[in-house]
């Protein structure tokens, strides 16, 4: 994983964990979605992210999220390894597993910075 993207992923995950500890599940999940966009191209990051989404699903007692995260947890990392992770997908059970989505501008800027470093 590119260092710039890895750092951004870790920052989003850290924010998610802070809100998790505050039992603010909705805000936690928003940061997990942002982290998902950044980490979905990496097997480990992708898998860890879905684990945290599953944990939030249990905390919220959200059966749709729990049932949606189980296959994502089991197979999400494989899509990363195969290069099939859909760009911009936020990873929650409210979106299709292979549905590409627009990337928020600030996250796109991180990808662009990473690409510029790689091309130099």
């Amino acid at each position: 994983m590119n260092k710039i993207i890895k750092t951004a992923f870790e920052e989003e995950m850290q924010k998610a964990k802070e809100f998790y500890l505050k039992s603010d599940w909705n805000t936690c999940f928003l940061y997990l979605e942002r982290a998902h966009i950044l980490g979905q191209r990496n097997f480990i990051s992708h898998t860890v992210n879905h684990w945290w989404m599953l944990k939030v699903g249990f905390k919220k007692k959200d059966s749709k999220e729990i049932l949606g995260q189980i296959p994502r947890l089991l197979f999400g990392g494989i899509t990363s390894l195969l290069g099939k992770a859909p760009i911009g997908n936020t990873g929650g059970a409210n979106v299709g597993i292979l549905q590409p989505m627009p990337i928020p501008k600030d996250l796109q800027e991180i990808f662009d910075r990473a690409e510029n470093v790689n091309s130099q």
Side-chain angles (χ1 to χ4, degrees):
M1 178 179 244
N2 173 286
K3 184 178 179 179
I4 292 170
I5 295 172
K6 181 178 181 183
T7 298
F9 171 81
E10 290 171 352
E11 288 171 358
E12 296 294 330
M13 287 299 295
Q14 183 57 42
K15 290 174 189 172
K17 291 172 185 179
E18 289 169 11
F19 284 100
Y20 184 89
L21 291 174
K22 295 177 185 176
S23 301
D24 184 344
W25 316 125
N26 292 332
T27 305
C28 172
F29 205 84
L30 290 174
Y31 282 107
L32 289 173
E33 289 177 317
R34 290 173 53 79
H36 184 271
I37 293 167
L38 293 163
Q40 68 183 350
R41 296 173 187 156
N42 177 274
F43 175 82
I44 294 170
S45 298
H46 198 176
T47 303
V48 166
N49 182 264
H50 281 298
W51 170 248
W52 278 89
M53 287 184 164
L54 179 62
K55 286 175 58 167
V56 172
F58 276 112
K59 290 292 187 179
K60 291 176 70 173
K61 297 179 175 77
D62 182 340
S63 58
K64 179 181 178 188
E65 196 62 50
I66 294 166
L67 293 175
Q69 286 306 320
I70 292 171
R72 287 165 172 82
L73 181 60
L74 296 173
F75 302 112
I78 294 169
T79 64
S80 299
L81 290 174
L82 297 175
K84 300 292 184 185
I87 303 302
N89 186 292
T90 54
N94 62 328
V95 297
I97 291 175
L98 297 176
Q99 178 182 340
M101 300 172 74
I103 298 173
K105 185 178 184 217
D106 65 320
L107 298 183
Q108 183 61 57
E109 289 170 0
I110 293 167
F111 285 120
D112 293 344
R113 263 196 333 244
E115 182 64 31
N116 288 337
V117 169
N118 285 343
S119 65
Q120 294 179 354

